Amino acid sequence: WGIEFATQNRERPFYMQLWMLLPHATLDPTPEQLKPFEGQGPGNGTKHLGANQIYNASVHDLDTQVGRLLKKLDELGLAENTIVAFSSDNGPEDIHIRNASHSAFGSPGPFRGRKRSLYEGGVRVPFLVRWPARVPRGKVNDKTVVAAVDFLPTLLEIAGVRPEGALDGESMADVLAGKARARVKPVHWEWRFNIAGYHANKSPMLSIREGDWKLLFNPDRSRVELYDIPRDPYENTNLAAAQPSVVSRLM
């Protein structure tokens, strides 16, 4: 669909939002997609598949399809001034979830938490942007906190459109152009439901990130955790007791 849409609208500005199913559970790659990863199963030539084999085959197919779209933009002569943003909605699924128990091989890297958790492993996701006309190639920004709520104000500014009212996010147009800066508005998260898996991943229900500080707490204050993310990105050292004024302000 994305290739067809870009082809049909190549003569005018367009906005395309592609929600790819992969790697959301349930994963069921075809034999052809599995073949390059045969050595990752419990045994070659058997009917049993490994979770890493299923997951990697699925992600490889996702990569293939995104590659087809990028190639088409190149062929249409649109690549130079087309913004392509690639991201995810949350951290990797937990293998304790029933429809992912055979395939949840995704990793949050060194971070604590997975999908549904408000720890970094659940909310810190990839964000890649290709825009040759303005985005510096190969630049890595590990300072600016960007959230999905920033997409709308960012794209409006780039398009030269002034919003009629206040927006929740903030424009990151200058960040895309190469400026690394702290965000102005805080970011909030909420998850009041079950968090699968290991106890270390079970975060409090509410969270806010402002500057270097990240506060997590339950509405009844039964759990209060404060972390200095740049210095403690793995959320091991709870500073709530040592920084009561910060806790009170962020609450």
Side-chain angles (χ1 to χ4, degrees):
W1 176 87
I3 290 176
E4 180 181 354
F5 182 85
T7 302
Q8 292 176 348
N9 294 276
R10 62 186 180 274
E11 299 297 336
R12 61 180 183 177
F14 63 82
Y15 176 83
M16 180 196 308
Q17 191 154 317
L18 270 177
W19 294 115
M20 313 293 280
L21 173 63
L22 299 173
H24 193 287
T26 302
L27 300 182
D28 188 24
T30 66
E32 292 77 17
Q33 293 165 349
L34 285 164
K35 189 171 181 56
F37 303 93
E38 282 181 345
Q40 297 180 356
N44 292 332
T46 73
K47 64 180 179 180
H48 303 293
L49 301 174
N52 54 343
Q53 182 181 7
I54 296 171
Y55 181 83
N56 289 334
S58 302
V59 172
H60 183 265
D61 183 59
L62 167 64
D63 187 59
T64 299
Q65 304 313 319
V66 172
R68 289 179 59 217
L69 177 59
L70 294 180
K71 182 180 179 182
K72 177 55 66 172
L73 293 177
D74 291 337
E75 293 172 352
L76 295 173
L78 301 177
E80 179 68 17
N81 201 33
T82 295
I83 305 169
V84 179
F86 181 91
S87 190
S88 179
D89 54 348
N90 46 248
E93 182 59 281
D94 197 286
I95 204 163
H96 297 88
I97 297 297
R98 180 179 298 178
N99 68 343
S101 60
H102 71 305
S103 60
F105 187 71
S107 171
F111 303 109
R112 179 181 180 183
R114 299 177 72 88
K115 182 177 179 178
R116 302 173 190 84
S117 175
L118 300 186
Y119 292 124
E120 291 295 280
V123 300
R124 184 185 291 225
V125 296
F127 181 53
L128 311 175
V129 178
R130 187 186 80 163
W131 185 14
R134 287 189 60 183
V135 173
R137 182 174 181 175
K139 183 177 180 62
V140 177
N141 181 344
D142 58 4
K143 179 179 180 180
T144 308
V145 176
V146 179
V149 74
D150 301 325
F151 284 7
L152 178 57
T154 299
L155 294 178
L156 288 179
E157 179 176 337
I158 291 172
V161 177
R162 183 184 297 275
E164 294 182 358
L167 301 176
D168 290 334
E170 64 181 273
S171 174
M172 293 291 172
D174 59 332
V175 174
L176 295 187
K179 182 179 180 179
R181 62 167 174 83
R183 70 177 294 116
V184 176
K185 296 183 177 181
V187 180
H188 306 81
W189 295 271
E190 177 180 4
W191 182 258
R192 293 173 177 263
F193 309 100
N194 182 51
I195 299 175
Y198 300 108
H199 179 74
N201 294 338
K202 298 180 186 295
S203 66
M205 297 177 182
L206 304 174
S207 180
I208 176 173
R209 171 76 186 268
E210 183 182 62
D212 293 347
W213 294 114
K214 180 180 177 183
L215 178 72
L216 303 98
F217 64 101
N218 287 332
D220 63 0
R221 311 299 196 265
S222 59
R223 290 177 63 187
V224 179
E225 302 175 18
L226 179 69
Y227 300 103
D228 183 339
I229 295 298
R231 296 163 186 81
D232 182 24
Y234 314 128
E235 294 165 297
N236 291 321
T237 305
N238 183 1
L239 299 175
Q243 299 286 343
S245 61
V246 175
V247 169
S248 177
R249 177 173 58 83
L250 294 180
M251 276 190 176

